[in-house]
Amino acid sequence: MSEYIEKTMEWIKRTNPGQGVFVQAATEVLNSLEPLIKRESKYQKHAILERIVIPERTVIFRVTYTGDDGRPQVNNGYRVQFNSAVGPYKGGLRLHPSVDLGVLKFLGFEQIFKNSLTGVNIGGAKGGSTFDPKGKSEGEIMRFCQAFMSELYR
């Protein structure tokens, strides 16, 4: 493994504790880039690896909405915007109790490459919440989504 990739991976592991799924994705991508990195010194010179593995912006916020029982419900909300070098961010939302920052960083990181394969000039991002729509009424899901977007637009 190239020294540049090795140092970058050590740095990613150190600066992303508890985000195993993201670290694994970054490791796989960086290892696949090794032949290119060895051939072209410009990637190290311009810190390209470091720049693609850190999101440009990460927003973490509280989403409060009213449940069907009339009581306030609170969930975490996230938006991870990875790369807008070729255009505006694009990436969906994941609503699931297992959502956390590491999962969304993993999905947003992969979205960069997925979007680049479409040929459309769009960057990568992903958002989500710990909200579980399973078993919720349409009204409760709607109130959650409205609250999520009201917080996200800020």
Side-chain angles (χ1 to χ4, degrees), residues 11-153:
W11 171 74
I12 291 169
K13 289 174 187 171
R14 190 175 60 254
T15 58
N16 295 279
Q19 297 178 16
V21 71
F22 169 66
V23 170
Q24 179 184 346
T27 300
E28 290 173 11
V29 169
L30 298 189
N31 284 334
S32 71
L33 294 174
E34 185 170 17
L36 179 65
I37 300 300
K38 283 183 173 179
R39 216 174 35 244
E40 302 280 345
S41 63
K42 65 184 177 184
Y43 296 105
Q44 184 171 357
K45 178 183 176 192
H46 296 290
I48 297 301
L49 297 183
E50 295 89 341
R51 292 165 69 182
I52 66 170
V53 298
I54 297 178
E56 290 175 359
R57 188 170 293 99
T58 301
V59 183
I60 302 172
F61 51 95
R62 177 184 61 226
V63 181
T64 305
Y65 67 99
T66 305
D68 285 341
D69 61 2
R71 297 174 50 195
Q73 305 294 316
V74 182
N75 290 91
N76 294 328
Y78 304 91
R79 183 67 175 172
V80 179
Q81 297 173 323
F82 252 96
N83 196 294
S84 63
V86 296
Y89 304 107
K90 179 203 174 289
L93 299 175
R94 175 167 286 192
L95 305 178
H96 193 270
S98 67
V99 164
D100 63 22
L101 187 56
V103 167
L104 293 175
K105 282 174 71 175
F106 156 68
L107 294 170
F109 182 66
E110 289 206 333
Q111 192 73 41
I112 298 167
F113 304 103
K114 182 178 172 184
N115 291 349
S116 70
L117 294 173
T118 67
V120 180
N121 291 333
I122 49 180
K126 197 68 172 183
S129 174
T130 54
F131 175 78
D132 187 359
K134 204 175 217 178
K136 303 280 194 301
S137 70
E138 285 187 22
E140 195 165 358
I141 293 170
M142 181 186 72
R143 288 189 300 277
F144 168 80
C145 289
Q146 289 171 339
F148 183 93
M149 291 305 164
S150 292
E151 291 299 322
L152 181 59
Y153 94 93

